[in-house]
Amino acid sequence: MMRSDAARNRAKVLAAAEVVLDEQGPAARMDEIARRAGVGVGTVYRHFATKEALYAAIVAARVDLLLREADRLRTAAEPQAAFFTFFTRIVADAATKKALTDALRDAGVDLKAEQTDQRVRMRAALAEFLRGAQRAGAVRPDVDLPEILALLRGASMAAETGEYSGPVLDRALAVLFDGLRPPAYPPGSHRSGL
């Protein structure tokens, strides 16, 4: 178990590293991260032997935040709201991590290998929220987790590139969510007047 002062220092380093990385991209230096965190560079290296290990830890911490959000939604939100809120939260997180993703890719870090447990927990949360929303009649019953993961990946990649403004992403998500909702008229039925 990490001592409380060591845990505080680690949290400060992670927060500072995310800011510096966002400002400077992959060229961010460990000594600048240490300075912003208010610790010595040795403290940074005690917690993270390499810059790549630090970046991977930032991603892991962000996924942990999303998993805590999933826990909160389980108890605080209606099933139909929990699904759409969690989907939106994941896409919003992707919109803020372009510099981090670029740095990890440049460093050759394979996050899929590094975050196996977190990925399993994220998929389980999404599956749970999907089933709850389907039982509540908020998501069409013919959609399963693979389709949700494909849609989520596409929306997250669009958000991550930074090529689209917030309002465009919001409207795109609204269209996507409309497609996930059950049709107003069952297949094969016809609306009068059309």
Side-chain angles (χ1 to χ4, degrees):
M1 179 114 173
M2 194 180 295
R3 291 186 347 233
S4 61
D5 59 334
R8 277 192 303 274
N9 283 341
R10 186 178 195 282
K12 289 194 296 189
V13 168
L14 285 171
E18 195 161 354
V19 171
V20 173
L21 183 61
D22 189 49
E23 292 173 359
Q24 300 176 10
R29 296 171 40 93
M30 294 290 256
D31 57 347
E32 175 61 14
I33 292 167
R35 187 185 72 73
R36 297 270 190 106
V39 300
V41 74
T43 299
V44 175
Y45 280 108
R46 265 193 301 283
H47 289 284
F48 309 102
T50 65
K51 193 187 296 188
E52 293 76 22
L54 174 57
Y55 294 166
I58 292 170
V59 172
R62 290 174 80 138
V63 174
D64 281 342
L65 281 175
L66 289 171
L67 289 168
R68 284 197 294 277
E69 173 74 359
D71 289 341
R72 185 190 69 74
L73 287 169
R74 279 186 188 98
T75 59
E78 295 295 321
Q80 60 272 27
F83 172 76
F84 292 112
T85 300
F86 195 54
F87 193 112
T88 302
R89 179 69 179 85
I90 292 169
V91 174
D93 183 69
T96 64
K97 66 179 188 182
K98 180 174 176 17
L100 180 59
T101 302
D102 289 347
L104 288 167
R105 186 179 51 249
D106 291 349
V109 175
D110 180 6
L111 287 179
K112 289 182 180 179
E114 304 248 346
Q115 299 177 311
T116 304
D117 176 61
Q118 287 181 315
R119 290 177 69 221
V120 167
R121 291 168 53 209
M122 284 289 283
R123 283 176 183 244
L126 279 165
E128 176 187 343
F129 291 144
L130 174 62
R131 287 189 304 271
Q134 287 172 322
R135 281 192 300 272
V139 173
R140 47 194 297 164
D142 60 338
V143 174
D144 209 345
L145 187 60
E147 291 86 10
I148 296 303
L149 292 173
L151 293 169
L152 185 57
R153 182 182 177 115
S156 295
M157 288 176 72
E160 192 178 298
T161 64
E163 294 176 18
Y164 307 100
S165 68
V168 170
L169 286 172
D170 291 344
R171 288 192 302 274
L173 280 178
V175 170
L176 188 152
F177 291 164
D178 281 347
L180 287 172
R181 290 188 175 93
Y185 299 91
S189 69
H190 298 284
R191 294 171 61 177
S192 60
L194 292 181

